[in-house]
Amino acid sequence: MSTGARLIEVEEVHKRFGGVHAVRGVSLGFDAGTIVGLVGENGAGKSTIGKMIAGLLRPDEGRILVAGQEVRFHTPRDALRAGIGIITQELSIIPSRSVVENVFLGIEQASFGLVSKPALRKRYAELAELTGFEIEPETKARDLRTAEQIRVEIMRALARDARVIVMDEVTAALTFDESERLFEIVRTLRERGTSVVYVSHFLQEVLALVDEVFVMRDGLLVKQAPASEETPKSLVTAMVGRSLDVVFPPRPAVPDDAPVVCSMKGITRAGVVEDVSIDVRAGEVVGLAGLIGSGRTELVRCVFGADPLDSGTVEMLGEPVKIRKPGDAVRAGIAMVPESRKDQGLMMGRSISENVTLPHLDQVSNGGVINGGREGSAVRALTERLGVRAPSIRTLVETLSGGNQQKVLFAKWLFRSPRFLIADEPTRGVDVGAKQQIYELIASLAEQGLGVLLISSELEEVLGLSHRVLVMREGRIVAEFPQGVSQETVMQAAFGEQPTVVPHQSAGRNAS
Ligand SMILES: Nc1ncnc2c1ncn2[C@@H]1O[C@H](COP(=O)(O)OP(=O)(O)OP(=O)(O)O)[C@@H](O)[C@H]1O
Ligand SMILES: [Mg+2]
């Protein structure tokens, strides 16, 4: 397009973290007004590249040029001044500040001196209108859920008229409508000459959105091609170095005499969950489908003791159990892999081992003294089974790639050999290979006699793994289908009427 220099030029860049050579001599570039996709397995180096472009990390070797000029950013703010913003997997909002303050952080003083509150409120309203995000501007950021915090980060990047915005797995926490809206915004940005680096594991979504796609594997750039020439399958082949189809493991029939592991009766929480009863039997995977906001996560949070019930009971193997807090659920043999690894699951500054064993210290200690050997071998066995990629179990969780963090979260909940597993979005943010491992794990846990309740916004995943699918709408169970039901049938039940548009694959992901 232009005769001059490219907007971004990454030249022979390397990045090491201790012994890990995360990025090994990568060169790539793109022009103004292009959307580029960055894909690869967990730990391939995608986020590291994104962070170097945005000044959150500095390359050990190699150069980064912006419009032909070599830049050396010292802080993300330097990068922002050069017109480069980033929205990352690890959020960077300031918890004690309000939403508006977070969105306009830094720009008020820089460009206008003191800006009047009404003026900021007006600009905020414009951004809210543009994005369709509905967040009360005066709320303190710490009171927001993860998904809302991501929305704040998106507005913050948009408020700055950046020339380049790196988006690292942003849609994982957005609803279907919000994702669609974001794609529209990204396309509008492109028309205005802004470039977007889009990192995602949703390959179909990437191909539909981007102009050009870069594939990384083990810190190297292994493929670069126009999106129009690629398919999800061709990308996966490049990502893993061989062709790989996601296959759902076989589902052995649940024996007729299999006991009911968990029986939920009349679970009600005013306004969100209405009189839900579900029996899950040993060896059975029950899928829970429904639109965002249909009450799935709210239901399982009640059952797990994370939120209070208004009425209803839970029985484990026929015995009523009182669950007032998650600890009660864990003792009763219930495990839950929650939606968000960051705010509900992991301590980022602790090791893999500590994260896995902390809720279960009574099992690895003798009279208060932790038995290091027992702990180590149990954690190693689990992390190996889950395919956690890390130098050792002493590695700090914050240094792991996003997908490997998800696997650690799984390990934490499996440590105590539960009887009933609630998996809420178990494969969010994990790559195709790891997905396959998690599918096999869920199937094998069921085969070993666990009951599993599975929530996933990838409808394909729910249908591929479950013996039975329940559909929730407005807090109630509205339909039940046996294995083999079609995606369309389930979506219709979830919408409650004929959807005008038959949702495509990514609709299935977000809307279920
Ligand atoms: N701060 C850090 N300290 C130590 N190692 C790190 C750090 N950040 C990343 N790494 C390592 O660098 C490698 C690349 O990580 P990166 O986060 O770039 O992967 P990714 O492609 O974004 O993966 P994912 O899809 O799981 O998010 C991984 O082996 C990771 O463990
Ligand atoms: Mg990443």
Side-chain angles (χ1 to χ4, degrees):
M1 179 185 97
S2 76
T3 49
R6 311 195 83 181
L7 178 59
I8 295 287
E9 197 78 68
V10 170
E11 284 183 2
E12 276 298 310
V13 159
H14 288 259
K15 184 72 195 174
R16 291 180 188 81
F17 296 103
V20 180
H21 200 163
V23 170
R24 306 189 282 154
V26 167
S27 300
L28 56 85
F30 51 87
D31 297 316
T34 45
I35 310 174
V36 298
L38 197 51
V39 301
E41 285 192 282
N42 294 136
K46 304 177 298 290
S47 296
T48 305
I49 287 279
K51 286 176 188 166
M52 288 191 287
I53 291 175
L56 293 183
L57 286 174
R58 265 187 287 165
D60 297 334
E61 286 169 51
R63 307 193 299 167
I64 295 180
L65 293 91
V66 178
Q69 298 284 313
E70 181 174 356
V71 288
R72 276 174 201 277
F73 300 131
H74 295 280
T75 64
R77 220 177 249 190
D78 291 346
L80 263 179
R81 269 190 217 108
I84 304 174
I86 184 168
I87 305 161
T88 57
Q89 285 169 304
E90 304 90 29
L91 299 166
S92 64
I93 56 171
I94 302 178
S96 59
R97 299 286 197 95
S98 72
V99 169
V100 200
E101 287 171 328
N102 268 287
V103 169
F104 297 109
L105 199 74
I107 28 183
E108 347 63 305
Q109 303 96 321
S111 39
F112 307 101
L114 259 183
V115 180
S116 68
K117 238 183 164 177
L120 280 188
R121 287 293 283 266
K122 182 161 170 289
R123 290 186 61 198
Y124 181 83
E126 287 164 8
L127 280 173
E129 162 100 46
L130 173 72
T131 53
F133 297 160
E134 290 172 7
I135 309 173
E136 170 49 46
E138 293 307 326
T139 310
K140 293 266 181 284
R142 73 165 84 88
D143 297 327
L144 300 176
R145 300 187 55 183
T146 314
E148 292 171 322
Q149 296 181 348
I150 290 184
R151 296 177 182 94
V152 171
E153 292 224 325
I154 293 171
M155 287 200 268
R156 177 198 277 175
L158 294 175
R160 282 171 168 75
D161 298 324
R163 286 196 285 178
V164 180
I165 302 178
V166 179
M167 299 189 176
D168 195 346
E169 287 193 51
V170 284
T171 55
L174 299 181
T175 65
F176 172 64
D177 285 346
E178 287 170 341
S179 302
E180 290 290 298
R181 189 83 145 243
L182 181 71
F183 302 152
E184 281 316 307
I185 296 169
V186 167
R187 293 188 181 105
T188 311
L189 289 171
R190 168 172 60 189
E191 275 161 34
R192 296 188 197 156
T194 304
S195 295
V196 171
V197 179
Y198 191 78
V199 182
S200 174
H201 288 290
F202 294 109
L203 303 178
Q204 217 135 15
E205 185 177 284
V206 170
L207 290 176
L209 182 70
V210 312
D211 302 305
E212 191 170 18
V213 60
F214 296 101
V215 183
M216 292 191 69
R217 183 168 78 226
D218 294 334
L220 298 170
L221 182 69
V222 294
K223 184 169 205 171
Q224 166 177 7
S228 56
E229 290 175 9
E230 297 297 319
T231 62
K233 204 169 170 168
S234 69
L235 292 181
V236 168
T237 304
M239 281 162 61
V240 302
R242 66 201 143 88
S243 78
L244 181 76
D245 280 316
V246 170
V247 278
F248 292 105
R251 278 164 279 189
V254 182
D256 286 337
D257 59 352
V260 172
V261 174
C262 182
S263 175
M264 296 154 254
K265 291 197 174 76
I267 305 290
T268 300
R269 178 168 160 77
V272 283
V273 181
E274 276 300 313
D275 192 21
V276 170
S277 299
I278 305 175
D279 283 351
V280 181
R281 295 160 68 205
E284 187 181 34
V285 181
V286 175
L288 209 47
L291 304 176
I292 295 265
S294 60
R296 296 166 309 164
T297 292
E298 290 74 9
L299 167 71
V300 297
R301 284 178 59 85
C302 289
V303 172
F304 194 66
D307 286 330
L309 285 179
D310 288 327
S311 59
T313 58
V314 177
E315 285 177 10
M316 285 294 291
L317 291 161
E319 295 289 322
V321 285
K322 272 252 161 287
I323 298 173
R324 291 203 188 78
K325 51 183 192 308
D328 300 336
V330 170
R331 269 186 296 280
I334 305 178
M336 177 156 93
V337 179
E339 229 182 340
S340 155
R341 55 185 170 251
K342 185 131 187 222
D343 58 14
Q344 303 172 14
L346 295 177
M347 296 171 295
M348 292 291 158
R350 301 289 194 94
S351 70
I352 294 176
S353 186
E354 286 172 298
N355 269 281
V356 172
T357 57
L358 206 68
H360 319 292
L361 278 185
D362 51 332
Q363 292 209 339
V364 286
S365 59
N366 288 324
V369 180
I370 295 179
N371 178 333
R374 180 142 42 117
E375 174 180 350
S377 53
V379 174
R380 255 187 298 276
L382 253 182
T383 50
E384 246 164 57
R385 192 161 143 216
L386 291 167
V388 175
R389 280 221 240 161
S392 98
I393 59 170
R394 304 273 153 229
T395 304
L396 297 186
V397 163
E398 67 190 356
T399 69
L400 298 180
S401 75
N404 280 306
Q405 290 177 359
Q406 181 71 358
K407 296 182 210 167
V408 172
L409 188 54
F410 235 96
K412 167 175 164 179
W413 292 111
L414 290 176
F415 190 77
R416 196 186 268 259
S417 312
R419 300 298 310 267
F420 177 50
L421 172 71
I422 300 169
D424 191 357
E425 303 290 357
T427 62
R428 176 167 283 171
V430 311
D431 64 52
V432 272
K435 257 187 189 171
Q436 182 73 47
Q437 286 164 340
I438 289 180
Y439 295 160
E440 275 158 20
L441 182 77
I442 288 176
S444 84
L445 290 171
E447 211 174 337
Q448 291 160 33
L450 260 84
V452 180
L453 185 61
L454 170 72
I455 298 178
S456 166
S457 31
E458 288 188 63
L459 193 48
E460 204 187 12
E461 194 168 282
V462 175
L463 300 183
L465 291 171
S466 309
H467 292 89
R468 199 151 57 94
V469 178
L470 306 176
V471 181
M472 280 188 82
R473 189 171 76 234
E474 291 167 14
R476 296 173 181 276
I477 305 253
V478 294
E480 172 170 348
F481 300 106
Q483 186 176 330
V485 62
S486 75
Q487 293 207 17
E488 286 69 24
T489 308
V490 174
M491 287 310 292
Q492 282 179 11
F495 277 104
E497 54 205 343
Q498 310 292 334
T500 42
V501 188
V502 175
H504 54 80
Q505 191 268 342
S506 85
R509 167 178 84 71
N510 272 302
S512 72

